């Protein structure tokens, strides 16, 4: 079997702020941007990695989502417990400094964990947790 990860999804509640974070702060390229207003589906991805994408999507656009579920999603996003992603870099300190300089909400400064991983964490404009691991 030959399976790859093509696209992962994170919610957004402000498409322009999300694009600014992923494009201007993390250096991702915008690949598609469809829809209008807050109902936009935006595909971004790391430059040089055209086969790996992140879809920034309105979280409650699915017609099968009930009003109670929409409220729950909005509450979870506000708390930062709805979506998260794990990224990687070869230079964690430089990446941390760049993201921190852009006034992203720092959740955790670069830390070496007892299990060997060194990483840091931020929140994107929608509250999603963005963890960045250092590659060995």
């Amino acid at each position: 079997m030959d399976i790859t990860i093509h696209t992962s999804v994170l919610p957004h509640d402000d498409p322009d702020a999300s694009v600014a974070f992923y494009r201007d702060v993390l250096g991702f390229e915008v690949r598609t941007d469809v829809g209008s207003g807050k109902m936009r589906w935006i595909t971004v991805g790391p430059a040089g990695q055209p086969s790996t994408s992140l879809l920034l999507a309105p979280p409650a656009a699915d017609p099968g989502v009930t009003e109670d579920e929409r409220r729950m999603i909005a509450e979870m996003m506000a708390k930062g417990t709805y979506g998260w992603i794990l990224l990687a870099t070869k230079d964690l300190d430089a990446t941390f400094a760049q993201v921190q300089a852009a006034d992203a909400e720092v959740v955790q400064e670069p830390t070496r964990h007892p299990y060997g991983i060194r990483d840091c964490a931020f929140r994107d404009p929608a509250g999603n947790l963005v963890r960045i691991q250092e590659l060995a």
Side-chain angles (χ1 to χ4, degrees):
M1 202 177 308
D2 182 17
I3 298 175
T4 62
I5 296 173
H6 180 264
T7 305
S8 187
V9 180
L10 283 180
H12 73 70
D13 54 4
D14 181 337
D16 294 324
S18 290
V19 166
F21 178 80
Y22 287 95
R23 181 193 60 213
D24 303 338
V25 177
L26 295 183
F28 285 13
E29 56 190 19
V30 177
R31 299 188 178 145
T32 62
D33 187 342
V34 298
S36 63
K38 288 194 171 202
M39 296 301 283
R40 287 167 53 198
W41 288 259
I42 304 154
T43 306
V44 298
Q49 296 181 41
S51 63
T52 302
S53 297
L54 181 60
L55 175 62
L56 305 171
D62 184 326
V65 176
T66 67
E67 283 306 312
D68 285 342
E69 291 167 333
R70 283 184 193 1
R71 277 192 295 281
M72 178 63 71
I73 290 168
E75 288 173 18
M76 291 178 72
M77 285 177 66
K79 290 179 8 183
T81 59
Y82 187 68
W84 64 281
I85 190 167
L86 180 58
L87 305 174
T89 183
K90 292 181 181 178
D91 189 344
L92 185 64
D93 294 320
T95 301
F96 177 82
Q98 181 177 337
V99 178
Q100 184 181 36
D103 290 330
E105 179 187 343
V106 176
V107 175
Q108 175 197 302
E109 293 189 6
T111 303
R112 180 159 309 278
H113 300 281
Y115 44 88
I117 298 296
R118 185 168 182 258
D119 70 355
C120 65
F122 296 90
R123 294 224 183 272
D124 76 2
N128 298 306
L129 183 66
V130 178
R131 295 198 75 85
I132 305 174
Q133 270 186 4
E134 185 170 58
L135 295 174

